[in-house]
């Protein structure tokens, strides 16, 4: 993974932050350097500022636009909950690079990502949503002075409102180790296999086919409460493939789970309340992926969707989502 910015000099994780650093408010005036969050396009950077509060405690600022090209408003009422997931993902990179001196060419890989959001705090306003991520890092492992893994517990707030919570576990590898583990898949392939056509965009909560990541079911049949669709990979997508990668990005898998949930729980737009994502192994670009989903009703009348992405006969990714009708969320509409 190549980046084009240099990391600033930062204190060792054990060094207490200056008192004035702990007290200053976060700024939302400009975006973080692109390389710190592994983005090439400035417009894809959500993070703005960061502060160390303790050896393994941090605050990170993020600004959510009212209209993102991909993570746009849900039913014109709510900020997209996946903005929370992407903010946490970007924060994991920034925290590793800035506060733990992780070189930018060291891959940072998610193994789990859990997100829970409060619909009331997701409401669209007349200005972008200035969001604060309150991060506590646990299980921090080092090899010498180099970060090799940690779990981030994150509380998200928007002003005085509780926006949600997240938990993310990640591993960090040396480039040489990553290449050895990936073997023949360590390089971005020259071309992709032929991709399936997209499902009708409205069926999965999208406006255009280029944003659809699921194809029609192979047998053409639809069983109530269940579905199975081939995963679509669109290298030209400016958000999901902001830069080349040698495997299917985690955020594409989250989007596949969300679109599967919309397909089963729709047709009215649905809002994701929570996601429990498990990344069991790399999802490769050169082999078909089948996304299976099952809709159930929980004891309190909510709707839960269980999603599995299968490749070469075994599960590579799983997700459990809870969703509700967007118009009913928080008593709206």
């Amino acid at each position: 993974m190549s980046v084009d910015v240099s990391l600033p000099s930062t204190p060792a994780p054990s060094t207490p932050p200056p008192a004035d650093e702990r007290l200053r408010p976060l700024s939302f005036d400009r975006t973080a350097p692109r390389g710190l969050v592994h983005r090439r396009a400035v417009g894809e950077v959500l993070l703005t500022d960061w502060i160390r509060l303790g050896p393994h405690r941090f605050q990170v600022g993020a600004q959510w636009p009212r209209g993102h090209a991909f993570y746009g408003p849900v039913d014109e009422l709510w900020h997209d909950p996946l903005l929370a997931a992407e903010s946490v993902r970007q924060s994991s990179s920034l925290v590793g690079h800035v506060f733990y001196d992780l070189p930018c060419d060291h891959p940072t890989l998610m193994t789990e990502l859990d997100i829970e959001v409060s619909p009331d705090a997701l409401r669209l306003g007349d200005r972008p949503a200035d969001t604060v991520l309150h991060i506590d890092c646990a299980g921090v492992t080092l090899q010498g002075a180099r970060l090799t893994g940690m779990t981030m517990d994150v509380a998200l707030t928007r002003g005085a409102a509780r926006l949600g919570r997240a938990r993310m576990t990640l591993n960090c590898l040396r480039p040489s180790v990553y290449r050895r583990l990936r073997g023949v898949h360590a390089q971005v392939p020259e071309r992709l296999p032929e991709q399936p056509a997209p499902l009708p965009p409205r069926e999965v909560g999208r406006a255009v086919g280029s944003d659809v990541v699921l194809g029609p079911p192979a047998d053409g049949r639809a069983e109530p409460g269940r579905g199975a669709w081939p995963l679509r990979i669109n290298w030209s997508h400016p958000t999901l493939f902001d830069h080349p990668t040698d495997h299917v990005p985690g955020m594409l898998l989250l989007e596949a789970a969300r679109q599967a949930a919309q397909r089963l729980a729709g047709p009215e737009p649905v809002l994701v309340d929570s996601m429990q994502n498990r990344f069991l192994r790399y999802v490769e670009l050169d082999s078909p992926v089948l996304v299976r989903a099952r809709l159930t009703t929980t004891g309190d009348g909510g709707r839960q969707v269980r999603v599995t992405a299968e490749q070469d006969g075994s599960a590579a990714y799983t997700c459990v989502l809870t969703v509700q009708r967007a118009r009913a969320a928080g008593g709206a509409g």
Side-chain angles (χ1 to χ4, degrees):
M1 180 183 304
S2 62
V3 294
D4 55 1
V5 297
S6 299
L7 288 175
S9 177
T10 56
S14 59
T15 303
D20 57 347
E21 172 75 359
R22 293 195 300 267
L23 295 175
R24 76 168 177 85
L26 287 168
S27 170
F28 300 93
D29 289 341
R30 59 180 61 86
T31 59
R34 295 169 296 152
L36 293 182
V37 297
H38 297 185
R39 298 281 91 181
R40 283 190 174 174
V42 172
E44 298 297 333
V45 179
L46 300 176
L47 306 188
T48 62
D49 196 11
W50 51 93
I51 298 172
R52 167 181 272 129
L53 301 179
H56 303 291
R57 295 182 60 237
F58 316 100
Q59 282 187 355
V60 175
Q63 187 177 85
W64 297 357
R66 289 186 293 164
H68 187 275
F70 184 64
Y71 299 118
V74 178
D75 205 30
E76 304 304 321
L77 292 170
W78 318 100
H79 285 285
D80 187 343
L82 263 63
L83 284 169
E86 175 62 9
S87 296
V88 172
R89 187 207 66 75
Q90 291 188 17
S91 292
S92 70
S93 296
L94 184 143
V95 165
H97 297 321
V98 171
F99 295 117
Y100 292 100
D101 290 328
L102 183 71
C104 277
D105 65 347
H106 284 49
T108 302
L109 308 169
M110 293 186 289
T111 58
E112 62 179 39
L113 174 60
D114 296 342
I115 295 285
E116 176 186 339
V117 295
S118 170
D120 282 345
L122 287 175
R123 292 178 184 271
L124 284 173
D126 60 0
R127 64 190 64 189
D130 291 342
T131 303
V132 178
L133 290 83
H134 310 263
I135 300 172
D136 285 281
C137 296
V140 177
T141 57
L142 303 172
Q143 189 175 65
R146 183 181 61 84
L147 179 70
T148 59
M150 63 181 176
T151 295
M152 293 184 3
D153 287 301
V154 185
L156 296 96
T157 58
R158 180 183 180 186
R162 176 188 177 275
L163 182 54
R165 299 195 64 86
R167 181 180 178 88
M168 177 180 174
T169 299
L170 60 120
N171 295 319
C172 311
L173 301 175
R174 293 181 182 274
S176 59
V177 174
Y178 180 80
R179 289 192 296 269
R180 185 166 64 250
L181 288 175
R182 297 289 289 134
V184 297
H185 290 111
Q187 300 297 322
V188 178
E190 293 184 1
R191 62 181 63 86
L192 290 173
E194 184 176 355
Q195 298 296 305
L199 284 173
R202 288 187 176 274
E203 292 187 7
V204 292
R206 286 295 174 182
V208 296
S210 59
D211 286 343
V212 176
V213 301
L214 300 178
D219 58 10
R221 295 176 297 177
E223 182 180 347
R226 293 178 181 268
W229 310 270
L231 184 71
R232 296 186 70 245
I233 299 171
N234 177 9
W235 262 350
S236 66
H237 197 279
T239 296
L240 296 174
F241 287 93
D242 168 83
H243 58 275
T245 178
D246 61 34
H247 59 277
V248 174
M251 291 303 296
L252 191 156
L253 297 172
L254 265 68
E255 179 62 23
R258 188 250 294 274
Q259 291 189 17
Q262 175 66 54
R263 178 64 178 80
L264 294 183
E268 69 274 12
V270 300
L271 186 71
V272 173
D273 290 322
S274 67
M275 300 183 82
Q276 298 174 3
N277 301 280
R278 298 295 179 267
F279 305 90
L280 308 179
R281 60 184 177 86
Y282 296 104
V283 180
E284 308 297 353
L285 296 166
D286 58 359
S287 182
V289 179
L290 187 65
V291 178
R292 297 186 184 274
R294 177 168 58 92
L295 173 67
T296 59
T297 302
T298 60
D300 59 1
R303 289 184 287 183
Q304 183 183 84
V305 183
R306 293 182 175 272
V307 179
T308 301
E310 301 174 356
Q311 188 172 51
D312 298 328
S314 64
Y317 161 78
T318 65
C319 179
V320 180
L321 307 88
T322 59
V323 299
Q324 59 179 304
R325 289 190 302 113
R327 289 280 167 174

